[in-house]
Protein backbone atom coordinates (compact mmCIF):
# COMPACT_ATOMS: atom_id res chain seq x y z
CA UNK A 1 0.00 0.00 0.00
CA UNK A 2 1.40 3.45 -0.89
CA UNK A 3 2.10 5.98 1.85
CA UNK A 4 -0.77 8.16 0.60
CA UNK A 5 -3.17 5.23 0.54
CA UNK A 6 -2.16 4.18 3.98
CA UNK A 7 -2.63 7.75 5.25
CA UNK A 8 -6.07 7.78 3.63
CA UNK A 9 -7.01 4.42 5.15
CA UNK A 10 -5.90 5.50 8.59
CA UNK A 11 -7.94 8.70 8.27
CA UNK A 12 -10.98 6.69 7.22
CA UNK A 13 -10.50 4.41 10.17
CA UNK A 14 -10.22 7.34 12.53
CA UNK A 15 -13.20 9.08 10.97
CA UNK A 16 -15.25 5.94 11.59
CA UNK A 17 -14.12 5.99 15.19
CA UNK A 18 -16.09 9.22 15.64
CA UNK A 19 -19.17 7.08 16.15
CA UNK A 20 -17.41 4.38 18.18
CA UNK A 21 -18.57 3.86 21.78
CA UNK A 22 -15.52 1.85 22.90
CA UNK A 23 -14.39 3.23 26.28
CA UNK A 24 -10.95 4.87 26.15
CA UNK A 25 -8.36 5.42 28.85
CA UNK A 26 -9.62 9.03 29.05
CA UNK A 27 -12.94 7.83 30.54
CA UNK A 28 -11.43 6.32 33.67
CA UNK A 29 -11.90 7.75 37.19
CA UNK A 30 -10.32 11.17 37.35
CA UNK A 31 -8.63 13.18 40.09
CA UNK A 32 -9.71 16.78 40.72
CA UNK A 33 -6.25 18.31 40.87
CA UNK A 34 -3.62 18.58 38.09
CA UNK A 35 -0.24 20.09 37.43
CA UNK A 36 -1.66 21.70 34.27
CA UNK A 37 -5.26 22.16 33.17
CA UNK A 38 -5.81 22.99 29.50
CA UNK A 39 -9.16 24.56 28.61
CA UNK A 40 -10.16 23.45 25.11
CA UNK A 41 -9.11 20.49 22.97
CA UNK A 42 -9.00 22.35 19.65
CA UNK A 43 -5.94 23.10 17.51
CA UNK A 44 -4.26 25.15 20.23
CA UNK A 45 -5.21 23.07 23.26
CA UNK A 46 -4.04 19.76 21.79
CA UNK A 47 -0.78 21.09 20.37
CA UNK A 48 0.17 22.20 23.89
CA UNK A 49 -1.40 19.35 25.91
CA UNK A 50 0.34 16.63 23.85
CA UNK A 51 3.83 17.82 24.71
CA UNK A 52 2.99 18.66 28.32
CA UNK A 53 1.36 15.27 28.95
CA UNK A 54 4.32 13.48 27.39
CA UNK A 55 6.81 15.52 29.44
CA UNK A 56 4.97 15.58 32.78
CA UNK A 57 3.62 12.02 32.69
CA UNK A 58 0.32 10.24 33.20
CA UNK A 59 -2.58 12.22 34.66
CA UNK A 60 -0.52 15.38 35.29
CA UNK A 61 -2.37 17.20 32.56
CA UNK A 62 -6.13 17.50 32.14
CA UNK A 63 -7.88 18.77 29.03
CA UNK A 64 -11.37 20.15 29.59
CA UNK A 65 -13.21 19.74 26.29
CA UNK A 66 -16.97 19.19 25.82
CA UNK A 67 -16.99 18.07 22.16
CA UNK A 68 -16.93 14.46 20.91
CA UNK A 69 -15.37 15.56 17.63
CA UNK A 70 -12.20 17.47 16.78
CA UNK A 71 -12.32 19.42 13.50
CA UNK A 72 -9.50 20.56 11.25
CA UNK A 73 -11.42 23.70 10.28
CA UNK A 74 -8.98 25.00 7.62
CA UNK A 75 -10.20 22.16 5.40
CA UNK A 76 -13.73 23.62 5.37
CA UNK A 77 -12.84 26.00 2.51
CA UNK A 78 -12.16 22.90 0.41
CA UNK A 79 -15.20 21.04 1.79
CA UNK A 80 -17.47 23.99 0.97
CA UNK A 81 -16.34 23.89 -2.64
CA UNK A 82 -16.47 20.10 -3.03
CA UNK A 83 -12.67 19.68 -3.24
CA UNK A 84 -12.43 17.63 -0.02
CA UNK A 85 -14.89 15.47 1.87
CA UNK A 86 -16.26 16.62 5.23
CA UNK A 87 -15.10 13.35 6.83
CA UNK A 88 -11.50 14.29 6.14
CA UNK A 89 -11.90 17.35 8.38
CA UNK A 90 -12.89 15.46 11.54
CA UNK A 91 -11.67 12.88 14.01
CA UNK A 92 -13.14 11.46 17.19
CA UNK A 93 -11.92 13.53 20.15
CA UNK A 94 -11.08 10.28 21.93
CA UNK A 95 -8.61 9.45 19.14
CA UNK A 96 -6.78 12.77 19.11
CA UNK A 97 -6.72 13.37 22.86
CA UNK A 98 -3.14 12.77 24.12
CA UNK A 99 -3.03 9.33 25.71
CA UNK A 100 -1.33 10.47 28.90
CA UNK A 101 -3.72 13.40 29.41
CA UNK A 102 -6.96 13.14 31.35
CA UNK A 103 -9.88 14.20 29.17
CA UNK A 104 -12.56 15.92 31.24
CA UNK A 105 -15.56 15.88 28.94
CA UNK A 106 -17.28 19.03 30.11
CA UNK A 107 -17.14 22.81 29.62
CA UNK A 108 -15.45 25.31 31.87
CA UNK A 109 -18.15 27.62 33.21
CA UNK A 110 -15.97 30.00 35.24
CA UNK A 111 -12.44 30.73 36.45
CA UNK A 112 -11.23 31.38 39.98
CA UNK A 113 -7.61 32.43 39.41
CA UNK A 114 -6.92 33.46 43.00
CA UNK A 115 -7.81 29.93 44.17
CA UNK A 116 -6.24 28.20 41.13
CA UNK A 117 -9.48 26.48 40.20
CA UNK A 118 -11.89 26.28 37.28
CA UNK A 119 -15.54 25.42 37.75
CA UNK A 120 -17.13 23.05 35.24
CA UNK A 121 -20.65 23.28 33.84
CA UNK A 122 -21.57 20.31 36.07
CA UNK A 123 -20.56 22.38 39.14
CA UNK A 124 -17.39 20.41 39.89
CA UNK A 125 -14.22 22.34 40.75
CA UNK A 126 -10.85 21.35 39.26
CA UNK A 127 -7.64 22.74 40.68
CA UNK A 128 -4.35 23.35 38.93
CA UNK A 129 -0.81 24.57 39.41
CA UNK A 130 -0.79 26.02 35.88
CA UNK A 131 -3.64 26.88 33.55
CA UNK A 132 -3.61 27.14 29.73
CA UNK A 133 -6.68 28.71 28.13
CA UNK A 134 -7.33 27.66 24.52
CA UNK A 135 -11.11 27.83 24.12
CA UNK A 136 -11.29 29.33 20.61
CA UNK A 137 -13.47 32.16 19.35
CA UNK A 138 -17.24 32.40 19.78
CA UNK A 139 -19.27 32.56 16.56
CA UNK A 140 -22.22 34.88 17.20
CA UNK A 141 -24.80 33.53 14.74
CA UNK A 142 -27.64 35.25 16.59
CA UNK A 143 -26.25 38.72 15.93
CA UNK A 144 -27.54 38.60 12.33
CA UNK A 145 -31.31 38.80 12.38
CA UNK A 146 -32.88 35.55 11.06
CA UNK A 147 -29.52 33.87 10.37
CA UNK A 148 -29.89 30.92 12.79
CA UNK A 149 -33.24 29.88 11.27
CA UNK A 150 -32.25 30.47 7.61
CA UNK A 151 -28.78 28.87 7.68
CA UNK A 152 -28.58 25.86 5.38
CA UNK A 153 -31.84 26.72 3.60
CA UNK A 154 -32.72 28.36 0.29
CA UNK A 155 -29.23 29.40 -0.74
CA UNK A 156 -28.08 30.74 2.67
CA UNK A 157 -24.95 29.03 3.93
CA UNK A 158 -21.65 29.38 5.78
CA UNK A 159 -18.32 27.54 5.82
CA UNK A 160 -17.98 28.57 9.48
CA UNK A 161 -20.15 25.74 10.83
CA UNK A 162 -19.79 21.98 10.75
CA UNK A 163 -23.56 21.88 10.21
CA UNK A 164 -23.67 24.08 7.11
CA UNK A 165 -20.30 23.68 5.36
CA UNK A 166 -21.55 20.87 3.12
CA UNK A 167 -24.56 23.02 2.18
CA UNK A 168 -22.15 25.53 0.64
CA UNK A 169 -21.03 22.93 -1.90
CA UNK A 170 -24.65 21.85 -2.51
CA UNK A 171 -25.88 25.43 -3.07
CA UNK A 172 -22.92 26.39 -5.31
CA UNK A 173 -23.67 23.40 -7.54
CA UNK A 174 -27.43 24.06 -7.56
CA UNK A 175 -27.03 27.78 -8.37
CA UNK A 176 -28.49 28.76 -11.74
CA UNK A 177 -27.30 32.37 -11.89
CA UNK A 178 -28.51 35.57 -10.23
CA UNK A 179 -27.14 37.53 -7.29
CA UNK A 180 -24.41 35.88 -5.24
CA UNK A 181 -23.35 37.65 -2.05
CA UNK A 182 -20.39 36.87 0.21
CA UNK A 183 -19.97 38.62 3.57
CA UNK A 184 -17.17 39.40 6.02
CA UNK A 185 -18.02 41.11 9.33
CA UNK A 186 -16.25 44.07 10.94
CA UNK A 187 -15.41 42.00 14.07
CA UNK A 188 -12.25 39.91 14.49
CA UNK A 189 -12.79 36.43 13.00
CA UNK A 190 -10.81 33.22 12.60
CA UNK A 191 -9.00 33.05 9.25
CA UNK A 192 -9.75 36.47 7.85
CA UNK A 193 -9.17 35.13 4.32
CA UNK A 194 -11.81 32.39 4.39
CA UNK A 195 -14.80 34.69 3.60
CA UNK A 196 -13.26 35.56 0.22
CA UNK A 197 -11.61 32.21 -0.61
CA UNK A 198 -15.00 30.60 -1.05
CA UNK A 199 -16.01 33.43 -3.42
CA UNK A 200 -13.09 32.68 -5.76
CA UNK A 201 -13.89 28.96 -5.71
CA UNK A 202 -17.61 29.54 -6.36
CA UNK A 203 -16.90 32.00 -9.18
CA UNK A 204 -14.64 29.46 -10.86
CA UNK A 205 -17.33 26.78 -10.69
CA UNK A 206 -20.02 29.09 -12.09
CA UNK A 207 -17.67 30.15 -14.89
CA UNK A 208 -16.98 26.51 -15.78
CA UNK A 209 -20.72 25.76 -15.63
CA UNK A 210 -21.33 28.51 -18.22
CA UNK A 211 -23.54 30.67 -15.97
CA UNK A 212 -21.05 33.42 -15.14
CA UNK A 213 -22.72 35.89 -17.56
CA UNK A 214 -26.00 35.53 -15.66
CA UNK A 215 -24.30 35.95 -12.28
CA UNK A 216 -23.46 39.10 -10.30
CA UNK A 217 -20.97 38.55 -7.51
CA UNK A 218 -20.67 40.99 -4.61
CA UNK A 219 -18.33 40.80 -1.63
CA UNK A 220 -19.35 42.85 1.41
CA UNK A 221 -16.75 43.53 4.08
CA UNK A 222 -17.18 45.48 7.29
CA UNK A 223 -13.54 46.55 6.94
CA UNK A 224 -11.85 49.14 4.74
CA UNK A 225 -9.40 46.73 3.05
CA UNK A 226 -9.71 43.38 1.31
CA UNK A 227 -6.74 41.99 3.31
CA UNK A 228 -4.65 43.49 6.10
CA UNK A 229 -1.25 43.20 4.38
CA UNK A 230 -0.81 45.37 1.27
CA UNK A 231 1.47 42.97 -0.57
CA UNK A 232 -1.33 40.38 -0.73
CA UNK A 233 -4.23 42.86 -0.85
CA UNK A 234 -2.82 44.38 -4.06
CA UNK A 235 -2.74 40.98 -5.81
CA UNK A 236 -6.22 40.10 -4.57
CA UNK A 237 -7.62 43.36 -5.91
CA UNK A 238 -6.13 42.60 -9.34
CA UNK A 239 -7.80 39.18 -9.27
CA UNK A 240 -11.16 40.68 -8.26
CA UNK A 241 -10.94 43.19 -11.09
CA UNK A 242 -9.99 40.59 -13.67
CA UNK A 243 -12.78 38.26 -12.55
CA UNK A 244 -15.42 40.99 -12.16
CA UNK A 245 -15.91 40.51 -8.43
CA UNK A 246 -17.39 43.62 -6.90
CA UNK A 247 -15.93 44.63 -3.50
CA UNK A 248 -18.03 46.73 -1.09
CA UNK A 249 -16.19 48.15 1.95
CA UNK A 250 -17.53 49.17 5.37
CA UNK A 251 -20.76 47.20 4.99
CA UNK A 252 -21.83 44.79 7.72
CA UNK A 253 -24.57 42.19 7.21
CA UNK A 254 -27.32 42.91 9.78
CA UNK A 255 -30.41 40.97 8.66
CA UNK A 256 -31.62 38.27 6.29
CA UNK A 257 -35.20 38.46 4.99
CA UNK A 258 -35.87 34.91 3.90
CA UNK A 259 -39.36 35.56 2.45
CA UNK A 260 -38.21 38.23 0.01
CA UNK A 261 -34.68 36.71 -0.22
CA UNK A 262 -33.01 39.97 0.71
CA UNK A 263 -29.89 40.78 2.72
CA UNK A 264 -29.74 44.03 4.71
CA UNK A 265 -26.39 45.68 5.41
CA UNK A 266 -25.44 48.48 7.81
CA UNK A 267 -23.26 51.07 6.10
CA UNK A 268 -20.40 51.87 8.49
CA UNK A 269 -18.55 54.73 6.74
CA UNK A 270 -18.75 57.33 4.00
CA UNK A 271 -21.64 59.61 3.05
CA UNK A 272 -24.20 56.87 3.56
CA UNK A 273 -22.88 56.01 7.07
CA UNK A 274 -25.71 55.08 9.42
CA UNK A 275 -28.06 54.00 6.60
CA UNK A 276 -28.83 50.49 5.39
CA UNK A 277 -28.41 48.83 2.03
CA UNK A 278 -30.82 46.08 0.92
CA UNK A 279 -29.94 43.61 -1.83
CA UNK A 280 -31.71 40.57 -3.27
CA UNK A 281 -29.79 37.31 -3.16
CA UNK A 282 -29.99 33.91 -4.84
CA UNK A 283 -26.90 32.63 -3.04
CA UNK A 284 -25.61 34.06 0.24
CA UNK A 285 -22.42 32.92 1.98
CA UNK A 286 -22.32 34.42 5.47
CA UNK A 287 -19.31 34.88 7.71
CA UNK A 288 -20.99 35.75 11.01
CA UNK A 289 -19.66 38.20 13.59
CA UNK A 290 -17.38 36.59 16.18
CA UNK A 291 -15.93 37.59 19.53
CA UNK A 292 -14.46 36.41 22.79
CA UNK A 293 -16.34 33.51 24.42
CA UNK A 294 -18.90 34.79 26.98
CA UNK A 295 -17.45 32.71 29.84
CA UNK A 296 -14.04 34.32 29.31
CA UNK A 297 -15.51 37.79 28.87
CA UNK A 298 -17.24 37.47 32.25
CA UNK A 299 -14.07 36.30 34.02
CA UNK A 300 -11.12 38.07 35.75
CA UNK A 301 -8.90 36.67 32.95
CA UNK A 302 -10.24 38.96 30.24
CA UNK A 303 -9.08 42.30 28.90
CA UNK A 304 -11.51 45.11 28.07
CA UNK A 305 -12.51 43.37 24.81
CA UNK A 306 -13.11 40.01 26.46
CA UNK A 307 -10.00 38.13 25.24
CA UNK A 308 -7.64 36.34 27.67
CA UNK A 309 -5.27 39.15 28.60
CA UNK A 310 -1.76 37.87 27.91
CA UNK A 311 1.65 39.33 27.17
CA UNK A 312 2.00 39.38 23.37
CA UNK A 313 5.54 37.94 23.47
CA UNK A 314 5.63 35.46 26.37
CA UNK A 315 1.93 34.43 26.26
CA UNK A 316 1.80 34.64 30.05
CA UNK A 317 -1.25 36.26 31.63
CA UNK A 318 -0.73 39.91 32.47
CA UNK A 319 -2.11 39.51 36.02
CA UNK A 320 -1.91 35.83 36.94
CA UNK A 321 1.60 34.38 36.64
CA UNK A 322 0.58 30.73 36.43
CA UNK A 323 -1.88 31.26 33.57
CA UNK A 324 -1.10 31.19 29.86
CA UNK A 325 -3.30 31.39 26.76
CA UNK A 326 -2.96 30.94 23.01
CA UNK A 327 -5.02 30.66 19.86
CA UNK A 328 -8.27 32.37 18.94
CA UNK A 329 -9.44 33.22 22.50
CA UNK A 330 -6.24 35.10 23.36
CA UNK A 331 -5.56 38.83 23.22
CA UNK A 332 -2.58 38.32 20.84
CA UNK A 333 -2.84 41.15 18.30
CA UNK A 334 -2.34 39.02 15.21
CA UNK A 335 -4.56 37.25 12.71
CA UNK A 336 -6.35 34.26 14.32
CA UNK A 337 -5.27 31.10 12.48
CA UNK A 338 -4.11 27.54 13.14
CA UNK A 339 -0.84 28.53 11.46
CA UNK A 340 -0.28 31.22 14.08
CA UNK A 341 -0.82 28.59 16.78
CA UNK A 342 2.11 26.51 15.51
CA UNK A 343 4.47 29.32 16.52
CA UNK A 344 2.53 30.30 19.65
CA UNK A 345 2.46 26.77 21.08
CA UNK A 346 6.26 26.42 20.86
CA UNK A 347 6.72 29.66 22.80
CA UNK A 348 4.10 28.77 25.39
CA UNK A 349 5.51 25.30 26.03
CA UNK A 350 9.05 26.61 26.39
CA UNK A 351 7.99 29.24 28.92
CA UNK A 352 5.57 27.06 30.89
CA UNK A 353 8.01 24.15 31.16
CA UNK A 354 10.67 26.67 32.23
CA UNK A 355 8.32 27.71 35.08
CA UNK A 356 7.64 24.10 36.10
CA UNK A 357 11.23 22.90 36.07
CA UNK A 358 12.68 26.19 37.32
CA UNK A 359 15.01 26.28 34.34
CA UNK A 360 16.93 29.44 33.71
CA UNK A 361 16.79 28.92 29.94
CA UNK A 362 15.91 31.84 27.76
CA UNK A 363 12.31 33.02 27.73
CA UNK A 364 10.86 32.41 24.27
CA UNK A 365 9.09 35.27 22.51
CA UNK A 366 6.31 35.12 19.93
CA UNK A 367 6.78 37.49 16.99
CA UNK A 368 3.18 37.59 15.71
CA UNK A 369 3.75 35.03 12.89
CA UNK A 370 0.58 33.98 11.11
CA UNK A 371 -0.40 32.69 7.70
CA UNK A 372 -3.41 32.57 5.43
CA UNK A 373 -3.46 30.37 2.33
CA UNK A 374 -5.66 32.47 0.02
CA UNK A 375 -7.14 29.87 -2.31
CA UNK A 376 -8.10 31.64 -5.54
CA UNK A 377 -9.06 28.61 -7.64
CA UNK A 378 -9.12 24.83 -7.70
CA UNK A 379 -5.42 24.77 -8.64
CA UNK A 380 -3.92 27.99 -7.31
CA UNK A 381 -3.32 29.97 -4.19
CA UNK A 382 -1.56 33.01 -2.73
CA UNK A 383 0.29 31.92 0.41
CA UNK A 384 0.17 34.94 2.71
CA UNK A 385 2.62 34.63 5.60
CA UNK A 386 3.27 37.63 7.76
CA UNK A 387 3.71 39.00 11.25
CA UNK A 388 0.63 40.60 12.70
CA UNK A 389 2.95 42.63 14.93
CA UNK A 390 5.13 44.23 12.27
CA UNK A 391 2.53 44.12 9.48
CA UNK A 392 5.32 42.78 7.24
CA UNK A 393 5.42 39.60 5.11
CA UNK A 394 7.33 36.71 6.76
CA UNK A 395 7.50 34.26 3.88
CA UNK A 396 9.00 30.76 4.10
CA UNK A 397 9.87 30.02 0.49
CA UNK A 398 12.50 31.68 -1.71
CA UNK A 399 9.91 32.94 -4.22
CA UNK A 400 7.29 35.67 -4.23
CA UNK A 401 4.36 34.10 -2.34
CA UNK A 402 1.96 36.87 -3.35
CA UNK A 403 1.69 35.27 -6.82
CA UNK A 404 -0.89 32.55 -7.44
CA UNK A 405 0.81 29.13 -7.57
CA UNK A 406 -0.07 25.46 -7.89
CA UNK A 407 2.79 24.40 -5.56
CA UNK A 408 1.43 26.31 -2.57
CA UNK A 409 -2.10 25.12 -3.41
CA UNK A 410 -0.91 21.49 -3.33
CA UNK A 411 0.97 22.12 -0.08
CA UNK A 412 -2.14 23.56 1.57
CA UNK A 413 -4.62 20.99 0.29
CA UNK A 414 -2.60 17.78 0.47
CA UNK A 415 0.41 18.20 2.75
CA UNK A 416 -0.51 20.60 5.55
CA UNK A 417 -3.58 18.55 6.63
CA UNK A 418 -1.27 15.56 7.19
CA UNK A 419 1.17 17.72 9.12
CA UNK A 420 -1.78 18.86 11.24
CA UNK A 421 -3.03 15.37 12.16
CA UNK A 422 0.37 13.70 12.48
CA UNK A 423 2.47 16.48 14.00
CA UNK A 424 0.78 19.72 15.01
CA UNK A 425 -1.80 18.30 17.40
CA UNK A 426 0.78 15.77 18.61
CA UNK A 427 2.91 18.72 19.71
CA UNK A 428 5.79 18.10 17.30
CA UNK A 429 5.23 20.81 14.67
CA UNK A 430 6.47 24.26 15.62
CA UNK A 431 5.68 25.95 12.33
CA UNK A 432 7.93 26.82 9.39
CA UNK A 433 10.44 29.11 11.16
CA UNK A 434 13.30 26.64 10.70
CA UNK A 435 12.51 26.33 6.97
CA UNK A 436 12.62 30.12 6.69
CA UNK A 437 16.14 29.94 8.08
CA UNK A 438 17.03 27.07 5.74
CA UNK A 439 15.83 29.00 2.67
CA UNK A 440 17.52 32.11 3.93
CA UNK A 441 14.24 33.98 3.97
CA UNK A 442 14.28 34.66 7.75
P1 LIG B 1 -10.61 25.81 18.13
O1 LIG B 1 -9.80 24.95 17.23
O2 LIG B 1 -11.89 26.35 17.60
O3 LIG B 1 -10.85 24.99 19.47
C1 LIG B 1 -11.49 25.52 20.60
C2 LIG B 1 -11.91 24.35 21.46
O4 LIG B 1 -12.36 24.84 22.73
C3 LIG B 1 -13.09 23.58 20.85
O5 LIG B 1 -12.77 22.21 20.77
C4 LIG B 1 -14.24 23.86 21.79
O6 LIG B 1 -15.14 22.77 21.92
C5 LIG B 1 -13.50 24.13 23.11
N1 LIG B 1 -14.28 24.94 24.05
C6 LIG B 1 -15.08 25.98 23.77
N2 LIG B 1 -15.64 26.45 24.91
C7 LIG B 1 -15.14 25.70 25.92
C8 LIG B 1 -15.36 25.71 27.33
N3 LIG B 1 -16.19 26.56 27.92
N4 LIG B 1 -14.69 24.78 28.07
C9 LIG B 1 -13.85 23.90 27.50
N5 LIG B 1 -13.62 23.86 26.15
C10 LIG B 1 -14.27 24.75 25.39
N6 LIG B 1 -6.45 28.56 9.94
C11 LIG B 1 -5.31 28.41 9.20
O7 LIG B 1 -4.22 28.41 9.75
N7 LIG B 1 -5.37 28.29 7.84
C12 LIG B 1 -6.54 28.25 7.17
O8 LIG B 1 -6.56 28.10 5.94
C13 LIG B 1 -7.76 28.38 7.91
N8 LIG B 1 -8.95 28.35 7.28
C14 LIG B 1 -10.10 28.35 8.01
C15 LIG B 1 -11.30 28.24 7.35
C16 LIG B 1 -12.49 28.19 8.06
C17 LIG B 1 -13.79 28.08 7.32
C18 LIG B 1 -12.46 28.22 9.49
C19 LIG B 1 -13.75 28.10 10.27
C20 LIG B 1 -11.25 28.35 10.16
C21 LIG B 1 -10.06 28.44 9.43
N9 LIG B 1 -8.83 28.60 10.07
C22 LIG B 1 -7.67 28.53 9.33
C23 LIG B 1 -8.75 29.00 11.49
C24 LIG B 1 -8.40 27.89 12.46
O9 LIG B 1 -9.26 26.78 12.28
C25 LIG B 1 -8.51 28.41 13.88
O10 LIG B 1 -7.74 29.60 14.00
C26 LIG B 1 -8.02 27.40 14.89
O11 LIG B 1 -8.81 26.25 14.85
C27 LIG B 1 -8.04 28.00 16.29
O12 LIG B 1 -7.68 27.04 17.23
P2 LIG B 1 -8.20 27.18 18.76
O13 LIG B 1 -7.71 25.97 19.46
O14 LIG B 1 -7.89 28.52 19.27
O15 LIG B 1 -9.79 27.09 18.60
Amino acid sequence: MSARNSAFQSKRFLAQAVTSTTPKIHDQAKPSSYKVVVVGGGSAGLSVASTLAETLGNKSVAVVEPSDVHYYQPLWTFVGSGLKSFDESKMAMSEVMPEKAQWIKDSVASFNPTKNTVVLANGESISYDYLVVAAGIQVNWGKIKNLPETLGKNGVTSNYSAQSVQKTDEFIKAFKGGNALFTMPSTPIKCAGAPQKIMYLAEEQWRKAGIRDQTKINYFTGLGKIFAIDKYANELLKICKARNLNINYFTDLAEIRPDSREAVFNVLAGEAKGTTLTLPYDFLHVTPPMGAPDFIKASPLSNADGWVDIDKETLRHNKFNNIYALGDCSSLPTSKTAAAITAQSAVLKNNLLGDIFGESKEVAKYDGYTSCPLVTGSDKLILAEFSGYSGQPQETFPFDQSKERFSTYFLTKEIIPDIYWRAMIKGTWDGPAKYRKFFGSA
Side-chain angles (χ1 to χ4, degrees):
M1 195 185 289
S2 73
R4 260 189 64 68
N5 256 343
S6 119
F8 178 70
Q9 292 297 347
S10 74
K11 275 188 202 157
R12 263 177 49 134
F13 169 77
L14 292 171
Q16 280 160 5
V18 167
T19 51
S20 153
T21 53
T22 316
K24 298 282 180 247
I25 184 167
H26 313 293
D27 300 325
Q28 292 164 6
K30 45 184 190 292
S32 60
S33 176
Y34 298 88
K35 190 79 183 163
V36 184
V37 169
V38 178
V39 182
S43 307
L46 291 188
S47 58
V48 168
S50 303
T51 309
L52 295 182
E54 204 49 51
T55 312
L56 301 173
N58 259 343
K59 302 272 172 89
S60 297
V61 176
V63 181
V64 185
E65 167 56 63
S67 176
D68 279 321
V69 186
H70 177 100
Y71 293 108
Y72 175 55
Q73 300 165 51
L75 213 67
W76 288 352
T77 293
F78 295 104
V79 175
S81 51
L83 295 165
K84 283 278 184 188
S85 77
F86 180 63
D87 279 355
E88 282 179 83
S89 74
K90 66 180 190 181
M91 293 243 185
M93 192 63 75
S94 57
E95 296 296 334
V96 292
M97 192 58 65
E99 238 172 63
K100 290 184 183 164
Q102 177 68 58
W103 176 17
I104 298 174
K105 194 177 175 312
D106 203 337
S107 305
V108 166
S110 61
F111 298 94
N112 201 337
T114 51
K115 291 194 173 146
N116 294 333
T117 58
V118 294
V119 180
L120 305 179
N122 69 10
E124 220 178 292
S125 239
I126 306 287
S127 67
Y128 58 81
D129 292 347
Y130 297 91
L131 181 70
V132 176
V133 189
I137 199 167
Q138 182 171 294
V139 183
N140 293 316
W141 301 96
K143 287 201 173 166
I144 308 272
K145 193 172 171 196
N146 297 325
L147 176 58
E149 48 275 48
T150 47
L151 188 68
K153 293 179 204 146
N154 301 320
V156 180
T157 187
S158 177
N159 281 357
Y160 276 84
S161 160
Q163 279 68 48
S164 57
V165 60
Q166 292 173 96
K167 287 283 172 188
T168 306
D169 179 40
E170 188 185 316
F171 294 162
I172 289 173
K173 295 203 162 62
F175 185 71
K176 299 275 179 277
N179 280 317
L181 315 183
F182 296 81
T183 77
M184 154 101 182
S186 56
T187 65
I189 63 167
K190 46 185 158 188
C191 194
Q196 60 187 284
K197 297 182 210 179
I198 191 61
M199 169 174 72
Y200 302 122
L201 290 163
E203 191 273 339
E204 183 191 74
Q205 287 201 37
W206 295 331
R207 200 164 7 105
K208 286 181 176 167
I211 55 168
R212 187 63 183 88
D213 288 350
Q214 302 105 268
T215 302
K216 268 196 195 138
I217 301 181
N218 269 287
Y219 183 71
F220 289 90
T221 169
L223 307 176
K225 288 176 86 171
I226 192 164
F227 198 73
I229 309 299
D230 287 343
K231 176 174 182 181
Y232 309 110
N234 294 340
E235 293 303 318
L236 292 166
L237 287 176
K238 282 185 212 160
I239 292 167
C240 289
K241 196 168 174 215
R243 291 167 67 173
N244 197 16
L245 305 166
N246 193 28
I247 312 298
N248 306 270
Y249 298 105
F250 295 118
T251 42
D252 234 352
L253 180 65
E255 180 183 350
I256 296 168
R257 294 181 183 150
D259 294 339
S260 52
R261 300 191 87 169
E262 287 173 318
V264 182
F265 295 86
N266 288 330
V267 180
L268 307 179
E271 278 175 18
K273 184 177 173 184
T275 63
T276 58
L277 186 66
T278 303
L279 268 105
Y281 67 82
D282 300 287
F283 174 96
L284 172 60
H285 180 274
V286 181
T287 302
M290 300 178 204
D294 289 340
F295 78 108
I296 292 177
K297 223 186 250 179
S299 81
L301 269 51
S302 75
N303 68 8
D305 296 324
W307 310 105
V308 185
D309 184 19
I310 55 172
D311 181 89
K312 71 177 199 174
E313 290 185 330
T314 63
L315 278 56
R316 186 195 296 277
H317 197 274
N318 282 323
K319 288 194 202 95
F320 306 105
N321 261 339
N322 61 340
I323 299 181
Y324 286 84
L326 78 167
D328 293 355
C329 71
S330 73
S331 62
L332 296 172
T334 193
S335 180
K336 295 178 185 299
T337 65
I341 290 166
T342 62
Q344 293 166 13
S345 63
V347 169
L348 191 154
K349 289 184 284 195
N350 177 85
N351 295 347
L352 176 51
L353 287 170
D355 289 353
I356 292 175
F357 293 114
E359 287 166 5
S360 56
K361 70 177 169 185
E362 220 178 300
V363 170
K365 291 183 178 174
Y366 174 54
D367 60 3
Y369 171 82
T370 190
S371 166
C372 185
L374 293 151
V375 189
T376 52
S378 61
D379 58 358
K380 55 190 169 192
L381 174 157
I382 288 173
L383 184 55
E385 278 187 297
F386 55 98
S387 162
Y389 295 176
S390 66
Q392 294 304 312
Q394 219 178 353
E395 299 184 347
T396 300
F397 298 105
F399 50 72
D400 181 358
Q401 291 180 203
S402 71
K403 302 293 174 213
E404 292 173 293
R405 286 173 199 277
F406 175 71
S407 57
T408 48
Y409 173 86
F410 184 79
L411 174 77
T412 301
K413 180 165 169 263
E414 305 298 346
I415 297 175
I416 293 179
D418 261 7
I419 294 177
Y420 182 82
W421 294 117
R422 291 165 186 272
M424 180 174 163
I425 57 169
K426 308 264 186 241
T428 58
W429 173 249
D430 292 346
K434 53 179 168 288
Y435 296 97
R436 274 203 301 278
K437 283 199 186 114
F438 175 77
F439 288 124
S441 18

